[in-house]
Amino acid sequence: MKILVIGSGGREHALCWKIAKSKLCDKLYAAPGNGGISETAELVDIKADDIAGLLKFALEKKIDLTVVGPEVPLVAGIVDKFASAGLKVFGPSKSCALIEGSKVFSKELMNRWGIPTADFKVFDNANEALKYLDGKKAPLVVKADGLCAGKGVVVCKTIASAKDAVNEMMVKRSFGDAAKKIIIEECLTGEEASIIVVSDGKSVVPLASSQDHKRIFDGDNGPNTGGMGAYSPSPSVTDAIFKEVMDKVIYPVISGMAGDGKPYRGVLYAGIMLTKEGPRVLEFNARFGDPETQAIVPRLKSDLVELMMRSIDGKLENYSLEWDRRPCVSVVASAGGYPGDYEKGIEVKGIELVKPLKDVVVFHAGTKSGRRATDGSSTFLTNGGRVLNVTALGSDIKDAINNCYNALGKISFDRMHYRRDIGHRAVKVQN
Ligand code: AMP
Ligand code: GLY
């Protein structure tokens, strides 16, 4: 099969790494890909949101399977466009991807189907939102309705900061139309976990549980990022909790969408808060998590291409996946300054020292192939905020953490930053 992966992050590198191992894959393309992906796939210089350009390429090359990594093209309807051109594409349709594309839509679905989530109120007017806040107690969470590249959620410890968030979103319009509507919701507390499943519209195949670390600094301090590391499985997600999430969250969405005439095919990602009262949904995503995928995929023994084809063809009934029982940890090395401003084009050193290590893999995110200033030889240069995901399996979570940080210690670039405590919560839960 000729396969095209759309996207350029660590998630897409992990997907390409696994797809390239499939006996079903004869030729792999990635658009636009990154430095690391160029080692397993042919890079195509088309951006992930250029749907017309991607469609033209896929038709020309007679691509047998297209895998969509990021949310923007999904929410824009890439799956509908490819499918109506007769192409097989893995991911939800536009009307299903709205579960990620509009938080108002997803909260209303949850209410309709009795899916446990934080209490909330929707506003389309700043004055009303500000007046509402006068009568409330902090902490509260303010969320923009639409896609904001992970920046549209503000957890507010005071009413003053909640008002600032409302002003930023609705008066200053920092997120444009994505915050035409906002949600103000109850702040939940507990451990977070990600439950990611693949559906064919009727049946559901769960992936292993995982957890990411969103804050930039150790101890979950500092601003939110796209994710600074992840591990799988999440020991907080016991079998009983997993079953509860499947029964109360995942199946109601899949059967509800089918009942609405919008069968949900592709990845459904539920971000869950494990509260004292039980699991509550924080958000849905219509795609694989990043960086969760980097910690999940190395544990997957089954063929990822087969899973995706079965999702497209409606053949997931009685299908299940085989997993490596060993835990996996993935730590992000980011550029100094991220999630604020950062430099690009810095040489990444030491990746070749990690390659021979067993059970370790480096998934690239913001890198590109380049030349050393000294002698013109080929190397990788930084090309984004999150640069690499150093990923390792281990006999237990502590061993995986050690393997991961041992490998990370061999890699360096100017102003490299990474968290030293990825997986710390899992160690605590297990002890
Ligand atoms: P979301 O994009 O909705 O997952 O939000 C990003 C992050 O904000 C989540 O992973 C949580 O850490 C936090 N968050 C979102 N909603 C809530 C909530 N209702 N209570 C507490 N934290 C939340
Ligand atoms: N790791 C969170 C996300 O992919 O949205």
Side-chain angles (χ1 to χ4, degrees):
M1 288 172 72
K2 287 190 216 164
I3 302 177
L4 167 65
V5 172
I6 296 174
S8 60
R11 167 184 53 206
E12 286 77 18
H13 191 183
L15 294 173
C16 284
W17 176 82
K18 183 69 183 165
I19 289 170
K21 292 180 191 296
S22 167
K23 59 183 186 312
L24 298 169
C25 177
D26 300 310
K27 171 81 191 169
L28 184 58
Y29 296 96
N34 63 35
I37 294 176
S38 71
E39 294 185 329
T40 41
E42 184 177 327
L43 300 193
V44 184
D45 190 15
I46 307 175
K47 293 216 167 67
D49 58 0
D50 178 2
I51 296 178
L54 292 165
L55 180 59
K56 185 164 170 276
F57 174 82
L59 286 169
E60 267 169 23
K61 293 286 181 194
K62 300 195 168 55
I63 297 293
D64 299 298
L65 167 64
T66 299
V67 178
V68 189
E71 61 276 17
V72 170
L74 289 169
V75 170
I78 190 168
V79 167
D80 310 59
K81 294 243 168 67
F82 271 54
S84 44
L87 293 166
K88 295 221 175 196
V89 52
F90 176 73
S93 63
K94 184 176 183 173
S95 53
C96 288
L98 204 55
I99 205 160
E100 173 166 8
S102 165
K103 290 196 192 293
V104 173
F105 174 80
S106 88
K107 292 294 280 194
E108 283 168 356
L109 283 190
M110 286 189 261
N111 262 5
R112 224 172 99 209
W113 297 330
I115 296 172
T117 187
D119 286 338
F120 70 101
K121 220 169 146 49
V122 179
F123 296 91
D124 58 9
N125 173 299
N127 287 335
E128 277 170 26
L130 294 168
K131 210 168 7 151
Y132 172 80
L133 284 173
D134 278 331
K136 298 302 277 188
K137 281 210 178 84
L140 283 170
V141 185
V142 180
K143 298 185 172 184
D145 177 39
L147 294 183
C148 297
K151 298 191 182 96
V153 173
V154 191
V155 179
C156 306
K157 292 201 175 108
T158 63
I159 293 298
S161 61
K163 287 186 174 178
D164 287 346
V166 170
N167 278 321
E168 195 67 41
M169 290 181 190
M170 300 195 99
V171 181
K172 287 196 200 144
R173 292 181 48 80
S174 301
F175 301 115
D177 280 353
K180 246 180 148 169
K181 288 186 189 169
I182 62 161
I183 288 169
I184 299 180
E185 75 176 30
E186 171 197 8
C187 187
L188 301 173
T189 52
E191 194 76 19
E192 285 185 47
S194 306
I195 303 292
I196 303 175
V197 307
V198 173
S199 177
D200 63 0
K202 302 183 297 284
S203 303
V204 176
V205 174
L207 305 188
S209 66
S210 58
Q211 183 163 353
D212 77 349
H213 292 66
K214 288 214 168 70
R215 304 295 183 118
I216 185 79
F217 299 127
D218 286 13
D220 295 321
N221 289 307
N224 260 331
T225 69
M228 293 303 292
Y231 54 90
S232 171
S234 161
S236 303
V237 180
T238 58
D239 289 351
I241 291 176
F242 202 97
K243 184 174 181 313
E244 194 177 351
V245 173
M246 292 300 288
D247 290 344
K248 293 189 177 163
V249 177
I250 301 293
Y251 293 129
V253 172
I254 300 302
S255 60
M257 294 300 271
D260 282 354
K262 300 171 188 165
Y264 195 108
R265 295 191 192 93
V267 173
L268 177 64
Y269 163 133
I272 301 286
M273 186 77 90
L274 302 171
T275 73
K276 281 198 199 107
E277 291 75 37
R280 299 279 181 274
V281 175
L282 295 172
E283 63 164 343
F284 285 115
N285 293 322
R287 50 164 176 86
F288 288 109
D290 188 342
E292 289 95 326
T293 304
Q294 293 88 306
I296 291 172
V297 157
R299 301 186 56 224
L300 178 63
K301 288 186 173 170
S302 310
D303 189 319
L304 184 59
V305 176
E306 183 183 352
L307 172 71
M308 291 170 168
M309 290 305 286
R310 282 177 178 268
S311 159
I312 296 169
D313 294 337
K315 290 188 178 153
L316 285 180
E317 200 179 349
N318 299 324
Y319 182 72
S320 60
L321 298 169
E322 242 192 284
W323 296 95
D324 189 329
R325 293 185 66 80
R326 293 174 300 165
C328 186
V329 172
S330 184
V331 178
V332 170
S334 64
Y338 173 80
D341 294 339
Y342 53 82
E343 265 179 71
K344 290 183 185 177
I346 302 167
E347 184 186 341
V348 182
K349 295 180 183 150
I351 293 182
E352 68 288 355
L353 303 176
V354 173
K355 280 217 169 122
L357 300 181
K358 201 168 160 278
D359 294 328
V360 174
V361 50
V362 178
F363 295 126
H364 293 219
T367 73
K368 63 176 183 189
S369 305
R371 302 260 160 218
R372 282 191 182 88
T374 43
D375 59 2
S377 57
S378 67
T379 187
F380 292 111
L381 304 175
T382 67
N383 194 37
R386 289 187 295 166
V387 176
L388 299 166
N389 306 254
V390 178
T391 307
L393 292 155
S395 54
D396 59 19
I397 185 79
K398 271 193 190 155
D399 190 44
I401 291 170
N402 285 341
N403 291 343
C404 192
Y405 282 104
N406 173 41
L408 192 46
K410 299 182 192 301
I411 294 176
S412 65
F413 54 88
D414 195 27
R415 297 195 64 209
M416 171 167 116
H417 165 78
Y418 60 88
R419 279 182 58 164
R420 265 75 177 168
D421 64 345
I422 300 301
H424 68 286
R425 290 198 226 98
V427 174
K428 251 194 246 159
V429 172
Q430 276 196 334
N431 284 340

